[in-house]
Amino acid sequence: MKEKLAIFGGKPVRTERIYYGRQWVEEEDINEVSQVLRSPLITCGPRVTRLEQRLCEYTGAKYAVAVSSGTAALHCACIAAGIGEGDEVITTPLTFAASANCALYCGGRPVFADVDPDTYNISPKSIENNITERTKAVVAVDYTGQAVMLDEIRQICREHKLCLIEDAAHSIGTAYKGRKVGSIADMTTFSFHPVKTVTGGEGGAVLTNDKALYEKLLLARGHGIVHDEELMEEAPHEGDWYYEQISLGFNYRMTDFQAALIDSQMNRLDEFVRRRRAIVARYNEVFSEMPELIIQKEIPESDTCRHLYILRLNLDRLSCSRREFYDAMSAENIQCQVHYVPVYWFPYYKHLGFQRGLCPEAEKIYSGIMSIPLYPKMSDNDVEDVIRAVKKLVRFYSLL
Ligand SMILES: *Cc1c(COP(=O)(O)O)cnc(C)c1O
């Protein structure tokens, strides 16, 4: 163990700490936000409408509903899908907890399907194996930004009359067989959290091509209240002030200044996509030469804007654990993160009766992964520093 000191005690590859993800806010974004703050309407005004139109134009979806977070987007989607007491919703364990929590919010039960060992995305076969009479929807997550196998999953959903919700928190900018993510599943959800490709501080959206779903999403976002007389039950109504609550909804509104920030960031989305791709290509070029590392497989159908870069250790060829490697990266001033602890490992899920071992592929992947820095504002030097640190540690821990 004396050599370990060389890593932790020697000069770190970087002096300034670098994080796995970071937003990129420019003066032009700040100007857009301040314009809204100087205007009379700061919530649910013209900028939210404009953002919704923009998301439709960008993705090709017919309808978009901007909401307060990606989590709210998933909750609204589950409400619109009609998830209720006892309904089962199939999702992946290799995701942020919100992808599964959204079923619980509606009284439903998440069911975890295992992932593909090479792409790390939910496996269509495993979805099929987990379908029961109670299954009502699938929440398929485009893990790291790569689109799930949408054709296969849509086919399964059609056959079994399930609603397909695509959790595209990672995949704005990605296309599947030439169609932008957002226009393909029954509903697609985005997140605008600061580590995501486009940010509003917080924010989210649900996209759909289905008018009936769209109307349900609007109700879920806004207290179940309608202002349109045609949608009201009581007629003639009480007067001009009157609106009607016709279902139970929430306040999941996005503010206009968040919408302005997101809309302004959308101007640079293509640039963000290009830069993310260039960094991923450089990492892959170097890391694919190293047998101590495993590269995430890409399916040709997905033209991917990568949100996360997964450094996966081939633990059979290294003398360290993932934890040791992660800590050593941190000692090099490179702050990684792990995406994700399998959702059902958390105590809350354990208390619901889920047990470890449920999804062996996901658990195996989890044991060897960490997300290394990937964001458009990284300089070429930053990228090379990450590479130098990885090379240094791999050389140190290699069993070859
Ligand atoms: C970030 C994220 C969410 C939740 O989005 P918030 O905007 O943080 O609520 C949901 N699913 C996935 C896969 C995410 O990465």
Side-chain angles (χ1 to χ4, degrees):
M1 278 287 101
K2 64 181 191 311
E3 280 141 321
K4 206 166 173 185
L5 284 172
I7 285 189
F8 293 103
K11 192 170 167 289
V13 158
R14 278 182 70 90
T15 46
E16 194 196 336
R17 209 160 180 75
I18 185 173
Y19 294 87
Y20 84 93
R22 199 175 138 189
Q23 74 275 15
W24 186 352
V25 175
E26 283 287 342
E27 278 309 308
E28 62 197 60
D29 301 324
I30 295 167
N31 289 340
E32 291 291 321
V33 173
S34 24
Q35 268 185 35
V36 174
L37 292 176
R38 290 191 183 96
S39 78
L41 280 177
I42 62 172
T43 194
C44 240
R47 296 308 299 259
V48 168
T49 308
R50 191 161 130 191
L51 173 65
E52 289 172 341
Q53 284 163 356
R54 182 88 184 260
L55 291 170
C56 288
E57 279 159 26
Y58 184 80
T59 61
K62 278 201 186 127
Y63 307 99
V65 178
V67 292
S68 52
S69 70
T71 305
L74 285 164
H75 188 191
C76 289
C78 282
I79 293 169
I83 305 304
E85 215 58 50
D87 291 334
E88 292 177 358
V89 178
I90 298 174
T91 191
T92 168
L94 219 49
T95 185
F96 184 60
S99 317
N101 290 344
C102 57
L104 293 170
Y105 296 156
C106 296
R109 186 176 172 83
V111 171
F112 295 97
D114 211 348
V115 299
D116 179 280
D118 301 315
T119 66
Y120 317 155
N121 264 335
I122 195 164
S123 136
K125 191 86 221 138
S126 180
I127 291 177
E128 230 168 0
N129 293 341
N130 279 286
I131 291 173
T132 71
E133 269 128 65
R134 320 212 67 165
T135 310
K136 200 130 187 205
V138 173
V139 175
V141 180
D142 297 329
Y143 178 72
T144 73
Q146 170 160 239
V148 291
M149 296 175 78
L150 279 161
D151 277 355
E152 290 79 357
I153 296 172
R154 282 169 78 209
Q155 179 62 27
I156 293 166
C157 288
R158 250 196 311 273
E159 271 169 29
H160 298 269
K161 299 198 164 42
L162 311 178
C163 181
L164 176 58
I165 300 167
E166 189 177 357
D167 180 346
H170 296 182
S171 59
I172 193 167
T174 291
Y176 176 86
K177 289 191 172 174
R179 276 171 78 185
K180 281 268 161 49
V181 160
S183 64
I184 306 168
D186 294 316
M187 287 177 275
T188 304
T189 63
F190 288 141
S191 163
F192 303 113
H193 179 277
V195 295
K196 307 292 159 65
T197 296
V198 166
T199 189
E202 297 283 356
V206 193
L207 281 67
T208 184
N209 294 323
D210 183 316
K211 187 145 189 270
L213 288 175
Y214 172 63
E215 282 165 1
K216 288 178 186 159
L217 291 168
L218 291 176
L219 288 172
R221 172 178 71 179
H223 308 276
I225 283 174
V226 292
H227 291 90
D228 184 350
E229 209 172 326
E230 280 183 20
L231 299 171
M232 292 184 189
E233 283 177 24
E234 316 260 312
H237 65 66
E238 303 278 320
D240 273 356
W241 64 86
Y242 187 71
Y243 52 79
E244 216 168 60
Q245 185 189 344
I246 60 169
S247 65
L248 189 62
F250 296 81
N251 174 2
Y252 280 156
R253 287 189 300 263
M254 175 187 279
T255 67
D256 253 32
F257 47 94
Q258 287 170 304
L261 177 52
I262 298 161
D263 189 31
S264 176
Q265 294 243 313
M266 292 285 294
N267 294 336
R268 304 201 302 289
L269 177 53
D270 288 340
E271 185 191 325
F272 292 165
V273 172
R274 273 196 300 278
R275 182 64 188 148
R276 283 178 175 275
R277 285 197 176 138
I279 297 167
V280 169
R282 175 67 186 139
Y283 281 157
N284 279 343
E285 175 187 40
V286 178
F287 300 152
S288 60
E289 299 292 315
M290 303 165 72
E292 296 86 353
L293 300 175
I294 301 165
I295 306 291
Q296 183 183 359
K297 193 181 155 201
E298 298 191 7
I299 56 166
E301 294 87 346
S302 178
D303 190 7
T304 301
C305 170
R306 197 77 77 82
H307 157 59
L308 296 171
Y309 190 93
I310 305 298
L311 188 79
R312 182 172 177 198
L313 306 178
N314 184 349
L315 293 166
D316 295 339
R317 287 181 178 258
L318 291 161
S319 64
C320 62
S321 64
R322 182 262 309 272
R323 174 139 189 201
E324 284 169 307
F325 199 101
Y326 181 97
D327 290 344
M329 286 292 278
S330 181
E332 299 297 338
N333 272 325
I334 292 164
Q335 189 56 60
C336 302
Q337 182 48 271
V338 174
H339 299 93
Y340 294 92
V341 176
V343 173
Y344 58 82
W345 281 23
F346 290 128
Y348 187 79
Y349 279 83
K350 197 165 103 187
H351 301 326
L352 290 176
F354 290 94
Q355 286 175 355
R356 290 193 182 207
L358 183 63
C359 298
E361 293 296 351
E363 293 186 15
K364 186 172 166 204
I365 292 160
Y366 165 69
S367 71
I369 58 173
M370 68 200 75
S371 306
I372 59 173
L374 173 65
Y375 52 88
K377 212 178 178 181
M378 281 180 89
S379 68
D380 288 344
N381 273 338
D382 293 335
V383 176
E384 295 309 314
D385 282 347
V386 175
I387 289 172
R388 278 199 294 136
V390 171
K391 277 185 162 169
K392 176 178 169 183
L393 300 186
V394 165
R395 213 174 294 128
F396 182 77
Y397 287 122
S398 178
L399 287 172
L400 294 180

